Amino acid sequence: MADRFDCDNCKESLYGRKYIQSDESPYCIPCYDNLFSNTCDECKELIGHDARELFYEDRHYHEHCFRCVRCDRSLADEPFTSQDDALLCNDCYCNEFSSKCVACDKIVMPGTRKLEYAGSTWHEGCFICHSCEQPIGSKSFIPDKDEHYCVACYEDKFAPRCTRCKKTLAKGGVTYRDEPWHKECFVCTNCKTQLAGQHFTSRDDSPYCLKCFGNLYAKKCEACTKPITGFGGGKYISFEDRQWHQPCFTCSECSVSLVGAGFFPNGDRILCRECNINSNL
């Protein structure tokens, strides 16, 4: 009598029948499918041993059940995305969830390089300077209403220009007579010393440091011959066509201060009352 060769599950003879060996035990086809086949996540039926099985994140599908939930396209050989456990082809996902480029109105595909600013999205190549029309990429830019400029174009178009060198002022600078200047361009007309942050004055609309202005234009003290500028709260005395620094306005004879006191001119000299009396004796 021949040895028995039965299905390990239903014990029916496997002679003359197809079977599948699993863990060294033979199974008839129906038993094998019932015991070991996965259930399709879509149709809930068993995925037979002879069917092409697809799986994604611990879920199993018949090949014909692995489809986009929107357009019903087969995803067996297509790129796809999962959204809230639903499978979507790339086209449907992009139409439903991806941003559109505000410049070309086309979808910004997942994984492509893009730029986002103020709630809007651009393809990297669509985010360009409004003036030179070159892609801005990751470089700095300056928005102006609904337009965007690279720094060079914005400065050329909108930034103020220095009154002296005519180049743009990117930042800082000084204002003189309602005109912009670079700090390094705002200098004394005579000695070229920078005047930013310094006391200065002007003559015929030209700026001068106090030293140059005094040397060039101020009247000279009759006593010390130094310029009388009146800057910095300095006081001076004027008599006829002559001027003195207040500390220099003293009697030519005894050097007593004549500020607030009577004095007497005597040629090029000025005398206090007492010295004037003595000189007339």
Side-chain angles (χ1 to χ4, degrees):
M1 184 176 181
D3 292 337
R4 294 186 62 81
F5 184 57
D6 300 334
C7 171
D8 193 62
N9 182 58
C10 68
K11 308 306 180 182
E12 291 186 9
S13 176
L14 296 176
Y15 283 117
R17 300 173 62 186
K18 290 183 178 181
Y19 69 93
I20 298 175
Q21 191 88 7
S22 178
D23 295 330
E24 299 183 358
S25 299
Y27 295 89
C28 65
I29 298 303
C31 285
Y32 180 86
D33 285 345
N34 286 328
L35 290 173
F36 300 109
S37 294
N38 294 305
T39 300
C40 176
D41 196 74
E42 180 65 25
C43 69
K44 310 306 179 186
E45 295 182 2
L46 290 176
I47 303 173
H49 69 282
D50 56 350
R52 184 184 178 191
E53 181 178 345
L54 303 175
F55 65 93
Y56 171 71
E57 291 188 349
D58 296 327
R59 290 177 286 170
H60 300 263
Y61 301 85
H62 291 105
E63 181 180 13
H64 61 272
C65 292
F66 195 64
R67 313 183 76 83
C68 173
V69 298
R70 295 288 186 270
C71 68
D72 205 36
R73 177 194 301 179
S74 173
L75 300 177
D77 299 304
E78 297 284 341
F80 65 92
T81 304
S82 177
Q83 183 70 22
D84 297 329
D85 291 334
L87 301 178
L88 298 168
C89 66
N90 270 5
D91 289 343
C92 289
Y93 178 83
C94 291
N95 288 331
E96 191 163 342
F97 299 105
S98 292
S99 302
K100 282 190 175 182
C101 174
V102 296
C104 68
D105 201 39
K106 293 181 180 178
I107 292 171
V108 180
M109 298 294 290
T112 58
R113 295 177 68 87
K114 64 181 180 179
L115 290 103
E116 294 179 325
Y117 173 72
S120 298
T121 305
W122 289 261
H123 293 109
E124 185 178 49
C126 292
F127 191 64
I128 61 176
C129 171
H130 184 74
S131 181
C132 67
E133 298 185 349
Q134 295 300 307
I136 294 174
S138 59
K139 295 182 293 186
S140 298
F141 67 92
I142 300 173
D144 184 66
K145 298 179 181 177
D146 293 330
E147 299 168 350
H148 306 89
Y149 294 86
C150 64
V151 174
C153 286
Y154 184 86
E155 290 179 352
D156 185 64
K157 188 176 181 68
F158 298 107
R161 292 183 177 273
C162 175
T163 303
R164 183 181 182 190
C165 70
K166 309 306 179 186
K167 295 180 181 179
T168 56
L169 279 80
K171 59 181 179 179
V174 297
T175 300
Y176 171 64
R177 301 183 69 84
D178 295 326
E179 294 177 331
W181 304 66
H182 290 114
K183 288 183 178 180
E184 59 271 22
C185 291
F186 188 59
V187 298
C188 172
T189 304
N190 184 58
C191 70
K192 310 307 178 186
T193 298
Q194 287 191 27
L195 298 178
Q198 306 296 323
H199 292 293
F200 67 93
T201 188
S202 64
R203 184 180 178 90
D204 298 330
D205 294 338
S206 297
Y208 291 86
C209 67
L210 300 187
K211 182 178 179 180
C212 286
F213 183 85
N215 290 334
L216 293 172
Y217 302 112
K219 294 182 178 181
K220 304 299 188 292
C221 175
E222 285 289 319
C224 69
T225 70
K226 293 181 180 179
I228 299 175
T229 63
F231 300 125
K235 297 180 180 181
Y236 64 97
I237 309 296
S238 180
F239 175 69
E240 293 180 345
D241 292 329
R242 295 184 289 171
Q243 288 80 28
W244 293 262
H245 293 111
Q246 193 176 76
C248 296
F249 190 58
T250 60
C251 176
S252 301
E253 189 69 31
C254 68
S255 300
V256 68
S257 174
L258 298 176
V259 177
F263 64 92
F264 298 87
N266 186 337
D268 291 335
R269 305 195 305 163
I270 51 173
L271 302 173
C272 64
R273 180 182 299 275
E274 185 175 345
C275 289
N276 182 60
I277 294 173
N278 292 334
S279 66
N280 292 324
L281 294 178

